[in-house]
Amino acid sequence: MDKIIEVLPDVKALAQRSLDLVRDKIQASIAQRGFCTLVLAGGSTPKSLYEALAFLDLPWDKIHVFWGDERYVPANHPDSNQQMARRAWLDLVDMPGVNIHPMPTSSPDPAQAAQAYEQQLIEFFQVSAGEFPTFDIILLGMGDDGHTASLFPHTDALQVRTHLITVGNKDAQPRLTFTFELINHARCVIFMVSGANKRSALTQVLAAKGDELTYPARLIQPQGELWWLLDEAAGVDFS
Ligand code: 6PG
């Protein structure tokens, strides 16, 4: 794993750098393999990146979009990560509908929905049961408690090693999430972290030693590239 930490002066510069890096990685994936598999982060930080992606002229038919986690709410709920990305970007470009792979949240049973999405991924990548597919790019955020995706501190999701998708929990609210094993099979993982409120957790997550169950983002040690794009407020200790 190559870990690269970049500290940008402010949120605007972080969004621009994220756009440049993601565009370059998308283009490289398409050049090497004919298409790109891109996994989106939820939350608020990536919204400006998605809004900027909408203005690029990329071969949208060669890009497949997935979500790394999702709140267990309807797709039209204000908390939906899918809705945020569609409004900011996907509804504004001519990406074929079959290229957009949202996590299903309509079943009454989140565990069943997790299995369904896992099966979708197995079929898309044509992997055998127990084999982890390799996504080209996985975007991640980090909470001020050191969680990433919906891998929250001291939750059962952190123990799941044999599945691609599992059920996460935030304050007893169910979420669907990539497992850390699936994330770690990616070619390129890009964290985007901004805000002074993330500084303390970031120090714990990026320290040489620490507790993965308390700071789950420490579990993200991909076989490929690992990028940490930080604004000064979050990453002052690393600039
Ligand atoms: C989610 C995200 C979550 C997010 C962090 C950071 O569904 O909320 O996937 O892991 O990336 O909580 O969120 P902000 O970018 O809003 O700080």
Side-chain angles (χ1 to χ4, degrees):
M1 173 198 67
D2 312 326
K3 177 162 76 176
I4 302 143
I5 300 175
E6 290 188 13
V7 182
L8 288 308
D10 53 34
V11 172
K12 192 164 178 292
L14 171 59
Q16 183 59 54
R17 178 66 180 122
S18 307
L19 178 67
D20 294 343
L21 181 61
V22 169
R23 182 196 54 234
D24 293 352
K25 294 298 178 186
I26 287 173
Q27 291 173 332
S29 300
I30 293 170
Q32 289 157 25
R33 286 175 293 280
F35 67 101
C36 174
T37 52
L38 170 64
V39 180
L40 303 187
S44 56
T45 303
K47 187 175 180 200
S48 50
L49 165 63
Y50 300 158
E51 288 168 341
L53 281 165
F55 288 94
L56 296 188
D57 179 18
L58 288 171
W60 300 116
D61 62 326
K62 293 184 171 60
I63 300 169
H64 283 264
V65 167
F66 305 79
W67 275 263
D69 76 318
E70 183 59 274
R71 292 81 182 273
Y72 209 69
V73 294
N76 62 358
H77 188 282
D79 288 348
S80 167
N81 289 334
Q82 175 190 173
Q83 175 174 261
M84 185 273 275
R86 284 184 182 276
R87 286 184 173 176
W89 165 30
L90 300 174
D91 289 350
L92 309 178
V93 298
D94 56 352
M95 185 180 290
V98 294
N99 288 29
I100 300 174
H101 308 268
M103 290 180 146
T105 58
S106 53
S107 155
D109 177 8
Q112 189 274 330
Q115 283 175 354
Y117 199 61
E118 177 161 317
Q119 192 54 40
Q120 268 189 58
L121 299 185
I122 288 171
E123 286 162 17
F124 179 87
F125 285 95
Q126 291 294 296
V127 292
S128 48
E131 186 186 352
F132 287 86
T134 294
F135 285 88
D136 290 312
I137 307 161
I138 298 184
L139 304 179
L140 292 173
M142 189 196 77
D144 59 10
D145 61 353
H147 83 262
T148 189
S150 282
L151 300 168
F152 289 91
H154 301 290
T155 56
D156 293 345
L158 306 186
Q159 308 300 330
V160 178
R161 306 186 72 102
T162 57
H163 283 282
L164 309 182
I165 307 296
T166 192
V167 178
N169 270 286
K170 177 179 184 178
D171 308 331
Q173 292 303 312
R175 296 191 169 188
L176 301 184
T177 185
F178 274 32
T179 58
F180 72 87
E181 288 285 1
L182 178 56
I183 294 170
N184 285 339
H185 277 74
R187 289 190 177 88
C188 178
V189 174
I190 301 172
F191 276 94
M192 294 165 288
V193 183
S194 72
N197 65 315
K198 310 284 178 78
R199 181 178 168 186
S200 167
L202 206 53
T203 306
Q204 298 291 333
V205 167
L206 293 177
K209 290 190 176 7
D211 175 11
E212 280 77 10
L213 299 184
T214 305
Y215 296 99
R218 291 182 62 84
L219 291 164
I220 308 307
Q221 306 290 339
Q223 60 187 13
E225 299 175 15
L226 175 58
W227 293 76
W228 285 89
L229 301 183
L230 316 172
D231 72 354
E232 185 74 22
V236 60
D237 300 315
F238 301 93
S239 48

